Amino acid sequence: MKLRLLALVLPAGLLAALGGSAANARMNADTLLSQGKPVIASSIEDDTLTAAKAVDGSTSTRWASAEGSDPQWIRVDLGQPAAVGRVKLNWEAAYAKAYRIEVSDDGTTFSTVKTVADGNGATDDLTGLQGHGRYVRVVGTQRGTSYGYSLWELQVYGTTDSSGDTQAPTVPAGLKSTGATATSVALSWTASTDNIGVSGYDVLRNGTAVATTAGTAYNDTGLTANTAYQYSVRARDLAGNVSAASQPIAVTTPTGGTGGFVLAAAGDIADRCTASDPDCIHPKTAQLVQAMNPTAVITMGDNQYDDAHLSDFQNYYAKTWGKFKSITHPIPGNHETYDDTPYQGYHDYFGAIATPQGENYYSWNQGNWHFVALDSNDFVQEEGLQEPAQLTWLKQDLANNTKGCIAAYYHHPRFSSGDHGDNPDADSLWQTLVSAKTDLVLNGHDHHYERFVPQNADGDEDANGPVQIIGGMGGAPLYPVHAAHPATAKIISDFGVLKLSMTDNTFATQLIGLDGKVLDSSPTYSCH
């Protein structure tokens, strides 16, 4: 009897061993997908403990969140959809007692694939996961210590959807122009097909790729009036396979919109780091500005972090964005007030450029455009019932304006889907600008990019109102974003520089990413 039982037990044990070996083989066959990929976090403890340190392949560098706060998260972009079977977390002493692993296709809507309620630090190697998506997020819900959350390494293993794919998408068909202005051409085409999936389309103008877009439409802006252009489109898949270019079409922009010029704009720019640090962003955004060769540069406040001393400006901002100082029209943010004497470093560095009319607020003209530079710090402080002197000045300045187009820029946005949210204290500025039929309003403060459709005084969609854009992605660490406003046209949590293409009666905007690609394009708007 015992012999028969042993005979039954041995095959079962052997099968279990074989099954375990197969499982281990499958696990080991998975590829490390996260190393060196873009990563963001809900917070950082300081400038040396950035999110990128958790995916740099080194166990001597780490990410750490702000101390004493729950919940916190870190999110890595794998670059394409993948089957996620394993996540390995190498915790520093500040570990998570409770946390969850989430995946997402779009970076906004996440589903939980693993929940841990009894973490004890050290290394957590979570295998057998059944996740699929492009983004993987670790959300700490209960700290194991009084500090924050800290990871030496976050490693995501799996198999990308495009593994082994060598087949290019079909050539896009049906390319046509759906409209043209003096400075823009709108294009559309029929979607390509692919054995795995089309990831995007390259738009070629006169044989040179000028943009990559995920959809089957694109608005090419910043063009010259009464000029012939040739366009074609090619498709890409997740494995990097590229189709042949479509049949070209010719489009000639109509006459109109003269006096064109380009501006570069961003806020929240120079962190206390230099180009020798690969995670330092403001040297990279400065290169984008240089590539634009703008007529002028606009900054939307918080030009220098953290306390904006003159020494900080000289050691960091001056070495990157400072190259454009002679053509810069800056305004201050709240960090410019953190100096020992508020604004002292800002004033000492920029000199008369910061106060051309004797105050932190001023106006200037370019072509048929009137630009109003404002110091919104005046409107986020208690001043009783008296109208701030700056608001009185603004009303008079707008009344005296003789230009056909108006743009304003200041640090604190009236509406935002970002970490700081809406700012009712800036309402008097917004109301005044709407009443004056301002065309464009630029802000910073929240560290993300957000473009709104034209809005009225209440923030409702209205073609007669200004286009508001938050451009706080110039180099300081990104902030989380929340549910978008009803009037939000596009929201992106990434770094870049805003390119403004202006004519005497129109404007169009593009967000240029760190790789030089267009991340967002607005329609071409006519001035009110």
Side-chain angles (χ1 to χ4, degrees):
M1 193 69 165
K2 290 181 179 178
L3 288 174
R4 283 215 306 248
L5 179 59
L6 183 60
L8 291 173
V9 169
L10 284 175
L14 180 60
L15 287 172
L18 291 173
S21 297
N24 288 336
R26 286 194 300 270
M27 182 183 73
N28 292 334
D30 283 343
T31 302
L32 176 59
L33 304 176
S34 54
Q35 190 162 310
K37 294 297 173 63
V39 61
I40 60 174
S42 54
S43 67
I44 59 172
E45 183 181 332
D46 61 47
D47 293 347
T48 67
L49 303 173
T50 60
K53 301 293 176 64
V55 295
D56 62 1
S58 171
T59 55
S60 62
T61 61
R62 62 187 176 96
W63 161 71
S65 71
E67 294 186 359
S69 179
D70 289 317
Q72 296 291 327
W73 54 263
I74 182 170
R75 189 203 79 181
V76 60
D77 178 359
L78 302 179
Q80 61 173 288
V84 176
R86 179 187 178 197
V87 173
K88 186 176 181 181
L89 304 174
N90 186 351
W91 296 101
E92 194 252 353
Y95 68 94
K97 181 178 181 181
Y99 63 93
R100 59 182 184 265
I101 307 296
E102 302 175 336
V103 296
S104 170
D105 292 320
D106 58 8
T108 301
T109 303
F110 284 84
S111 59
T112 300
V113 297
K114 181 71 173 180
T115 299
V116 175
D118 56 353
N120 59 3
T123 298
D124 292 342
D125 197 350
L126 310 174
T127 61
L129 305 181
Q130 300 292 319
H132 185 275
R134 173 173 171 169
Y135 302 87
V136 177
R137 185 167 70 177
V138 181
V139 182
T141 55
Q142 183 181 355
R143 288 168 288 119
T145 69
S146 61
Y147 299 103
Y149 298 90
S150 184
L151 283 167
W152 293 109
E153 280 295 294
L154 158 61
Q155 295 177 314
V156 179
Y157 294 84
T159 304
T160 59
D161 288 0
S162 64
S163 296
D165 179 21
T166 59
Q167 181 176 323
T170 60
V171 177
L175 177 62
K176 62 181 180 180
S177 171
T178 57
T181 71
T183 59
S184 68
V185 170
L187 302 167
S188 70
W189 55 91
T190 303
S192 296
T193 59
D194 185 70
N195 61 319
I196 300 296
V198 176
S199 62
Y201 300 88
D202 296 335
V203 179
L204 290 81
R205 184 206 308 143
N206 298 336
T208 301
V210 293
T212 298
T213 178
T216 57
Y218 179 72
N219 188 39
D220 191 24
T221 61
L223 305 178
T224 303
N226 195 28
T227 301
Y229 295 94
Q230 185 183 78
Y231 290 96
S232 58
V233 181
R234 62 194 181 202
R236 291 182 172 273
D237 67 14
L238 295 168
N241 301 306
V242 183
S243 75
S246 67
Q247 282 293 110
I249 63 170
V251 184
T252 299
T253 52
T255 301
T258 59
F261 58 94
V262 170
L263 303 178
D268 305 273
I269 299 171
D271 210 351
R272 290 179 295 180
C273 60
T274 63
S276 61
D277 181 351
D279 295 327
C280 193
I281 301 298
H282 65 96
K284 301 174 184 178
T285 55
Q287 291 176 354
L288 298 179
V289 175
Q290 186 168 2
M292 293 179 193
N293 191 26
T295 299
V297 173
I298 287 173
T299 67
M300 287 91 82
D302 284 1
N303 307 278
Q304 176 63 58
Y305 281 76
D306 275 337
D307 298 330
H309 300 301
L310 175 60
S311 59
D312 291 327
F313 272 104
Q314 292 170 332
N315 290 331
Y316 307 107
Y317 182 99
K319 296 178 180 178
T320 57
W321 282 63
K323 297 175 183 177
F324 319 109
K325 182 176 177 181
S326 63
I327 59 170
T328 297
H329 300 273
I331 52 100
N334 49 292
H335 278 264
E336 270 77 24
T337 70
Y338 296 166
D339 201 351
D340 298 331
T341 300
Y343 303 107
Q344 187 67 51
Y346 172 75
H347 289 156
D348 288 346
Y349 174 73
F350 281 110
I353 293 174
T355 57
Q357 295 166 9
E359 302 287 351
N360 287 331
Y361 48 89
Y362 57 93
S363 62
W364 54 283
N365 296 321
Q366 183 73 43
N368 195 38
W369 280 82
H370 182 66
F371 293 89
V372 186
L374 300 168
D375 179 6
S376 56
N377 289 298
D378 281 356
F379 300 87
V380 294
Q381 303 171 10
E382 291 293 330
E383 291 196 21
L385 299 177
Q386 183 178 359
E387 180 177 283
Q390 183 176 176
L391 186 57
T392 303
W393 171 88
L394 173 61
K395 293 176 180 178
Q396 189 61 53
D397 179 82
L398 293 170
N400 294 338
N401 172 50
T402 60
K403 300 295 183 180
C405 304
I406 302 173
Y409 55 104
Y410 50 95
H411 190 59
H412 302 84
R414 174 63 185 91
F415 304 106
S416 173
S417 304
D419 192 54
H420 292 103
D422 292 347
N423 188 356
D425 292 330
D427 189 61
S428 57
L429 282 180
W430 179 258
Q431 298 276 350
T432 302
L433 294 169
V434 171
S435 297
K437 297 190 179 301
T438 299
D439 302 289
L440 177 64
V441 174
L442 305 175
N443 305 114
H445 198 44
D446 268 331
H447 299 185
H448 72 283
Y449 167 87
E450 187 169 9
R451 175 173 59 85
F452 295 79
V453 299
Q455 303 170 85
N456 61 21
D458 297 321
D460 298 323
E461 184 172 345
D462 186 340
N464 295 313
V467 173
Q468 181 196 338
I469 299 178
I470 297 173
M473 65 288 143
L478 299 173
Y479 289 167
V481 295
H482 308 294
H485 276 260
T488 298
K490 188 75 171 183
I491 187 168
I492 297 175
S493 183
D494 207 346
F495 298 104
V497 174
L498 193 60
K499 179 180 180 181
L500 308 175
S501 299
M502 330 294 277
T503 75
D504 281 349
N505 51 25
T506 67
F507 72 97
T509 70
Q510 293 178 315
L511 174 61
I512 309 300
L514 295 183
D515 58 1
K517 294 181 179 178
V518 178
L519 301 183
D520 181 48
S521 294
S522 78
T524 297
Y525 290 100
S526 296
C527 296
H528 299 315

